[in-house]
């Protein structure tokens, strides 16, 4: 009788542990609901620390502040300070590989956004080109000139694309011509022109002027109102 009681107690204990174990399906569902941002910074940060003063634009570069802003709103941020003279092509392919790894784990493509500023924006454009996934989201910031069409002809936009540029910046022009020349699917394309007077330095600072629209785009709020 004692052995029978011990057996029943052991069985109940096993069932309790088993029932309390996390469900793989529930965990996968949670991962699918998270929003991921790959943030690719500008060239200045390749050779300077976050907080360094950029004399060309009379402002500090607020890399950490930018990342913190995204994280405070619940985004999973994937970003690193690149080494000086980082190769644009190789780095873009690295990011594509990281995106593929996320999707292999069950993350939906439209929950992944690549945000790039200046040189990082050009890397992001190549990510768009190589990934060839129309469900991915992209935000290209201060990274286009009309001369790019002839000088960088191999970029081919693909995905949901938001471009943000500054009126007083030499890169402050519409990228519509690039979109029109691209042969891959671009389900959504939108542009925002800012007028901060900071020239190219506008993207150095953790400003809601460009961070807030990028957050909305990364949250799949493609029709948001912008002043």
């Amino acid at each position: 009788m004692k052995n029978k009681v011990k057996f029943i107690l052991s069985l109940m204990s096993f069932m309790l542990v088993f029932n309390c174990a996390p469900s793989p399906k529930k965990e996968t569902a949670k991962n699918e609901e998270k929003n991921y941002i790959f943030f690719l910074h500008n060239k200045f940060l390749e050779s300077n620390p976050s907080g360094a003063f950029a004399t060309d634009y009379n402002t500090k570069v607020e890399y950490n502040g930018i990342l913190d802003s995204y994280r405070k709103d619940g985004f999973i941020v994937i970003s690193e300070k690149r080494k000086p003279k980082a190769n644009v092509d190789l780095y873009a392919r690295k990011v594509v590989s990281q995106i593929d790894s996320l999707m292999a784990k069950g993350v939906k493509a439209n929950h992944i956004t690549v945000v790039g500023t200046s040189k990082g924006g050009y890397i992001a454009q190549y990510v768009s080109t190589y990934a060839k996934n129309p469900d991915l989201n992209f935000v290209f910031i201060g990274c286009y000139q009309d001369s790019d069409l002839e000088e960088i002809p191999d970029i081919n936009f693909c995905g949901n694309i938001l471009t943000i540029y500054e009126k007083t910046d030499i890169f402050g022009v519409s990228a519509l011509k690039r979109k029109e020349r691209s042969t891959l699917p671009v389900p959504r394309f939108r542009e925002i022109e800012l007028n901060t007077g900071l020239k190219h330095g506008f993207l150095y600072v953790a400003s809601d002027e460009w961070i807030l629209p990028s957050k909305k785009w990364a949250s799949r709020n493609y029709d948001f109102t912008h002043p």
Side-chain angles (χ1 to χ4, degrees):
M1 184 66 180
K2 289 183 178 179
N3 291 336
K4 186 176 181 180
V5 172
K6 287 182 179 180
F7 174 76
I8 293 173
L9 290 174
S10 297
L11 181 61
M12 290 176 65
S13 178
F14 171 78
M15 292 178 66
L16 181 62
V17 172
F18 180 80
N19 290 333
C20 289
S23 168
K25 290 184 179 180
K26 289 182 180 179
E27 190 64 32
T28 299
K30 288 180 180 179
N31 288 337
E32 289 177 351
E33 293 307 312
K34 294 177 181 177
N35 292 314
Y36 293 78
I37 285 182
F38 285 83
F39 180 73
L40 308 175
H41 62 73
N42 60 358
K43 183 179 179 181
F44 182 83
L45 267 168
E46 290 184 354
S47 304
N48 296 277
S50 178
F53 191 80
T55 55
D56 288 350
Y57 304 110
N58 197 36
T59 189
K60 289 183 178 180
V61 59
E62 299 174 342
Y63 175 59
N64 292 336
I66 292 167
L67 301 186
D68 288 343
S69 180
Y70 286 123
R71 288 172 179 145
K72 286 177 182 177
D73 276 7
F75 292 98
I76 307 300
V77 181
I78 301 169
S79 185
E80 65 174 353
K81 255 179 106 300
R82 299 185 304 272
K83 294 180 180 179
K85 299 180 181 180
N87 183 282
V88 170
D89 184 85
L90 293 178
Y91 204 89
R93 294 184 187 277
K94 173 183 176 180
V95 175
V96 172
S97 178
Q98 291 175 310
I99 291 173
D100 288 342
S101 295
L102 279 180
M103 292 193 296
K105 294 177 181 177
V107 179
K108 298 175 183 177
N110 66 350
H111 284 242
I112 300 173
T113 303
V114 182
V115 180
T117 60
S118 195
K119 180 179 178 177
Y122 280 102
I123 295 174
Q125 291 178 56
Y126 273 105
V127 173
S128 171
T129 302
Y130 297 148
K132 295 182 174 65
N133 189 327
D135 293 327
L136 291 171
N137 302 314
F138 294 90
V139 185
F140 305 142
I141 304 167
C143 57
Y144 178 77
Q145 293 179 307
D146 285 334
S147 58
D148 291 351
L149 294 175
E150 304 303 324
E151 296 176 2
I152 319 175
D154 51 337
I155 288 178
N156 198 4
F157 284 175
C158 184
N160 301 308
I161 295 172
L162 170 66
T163 74
I164 302 175
Y165 56 91
E166 160 61 37
K167 188 175 182 179
T168 58
D169 183 12
I170 61 170
F171 292 91
V173 295
S174 166
L176 182 60
K177 292 180 181 178
R178 173 71 83 184
K179 184 261 184 183
E180 291 174 342
R181 287 199 186 185
S182 295
T183 58
L184 296 172
V186 181
R188 297 174 182 85
F189 182 81
R190 184 170 178 180
E191 297 192 300
I192 294 176
E193 182 185 73
L194 303 179
N195 190 13
T196 66
L198 297 175
K199 299 181 180 179
H200 201 56
F202 85 98
L203 53 80
Y204 283 48
V205 296
S207 169
D208 278 344
E209 289 273 4
W210 63 267
I211 294 180
L212 188 56
S214 69
K215 288 177 180 177
K216 291 180 179 179
W217 198 257
S219 300
R220 296 166 301 286
N221 180 8
Y222 304 115
D223 299 319
F224 66 89
T225 300
H226 186 77

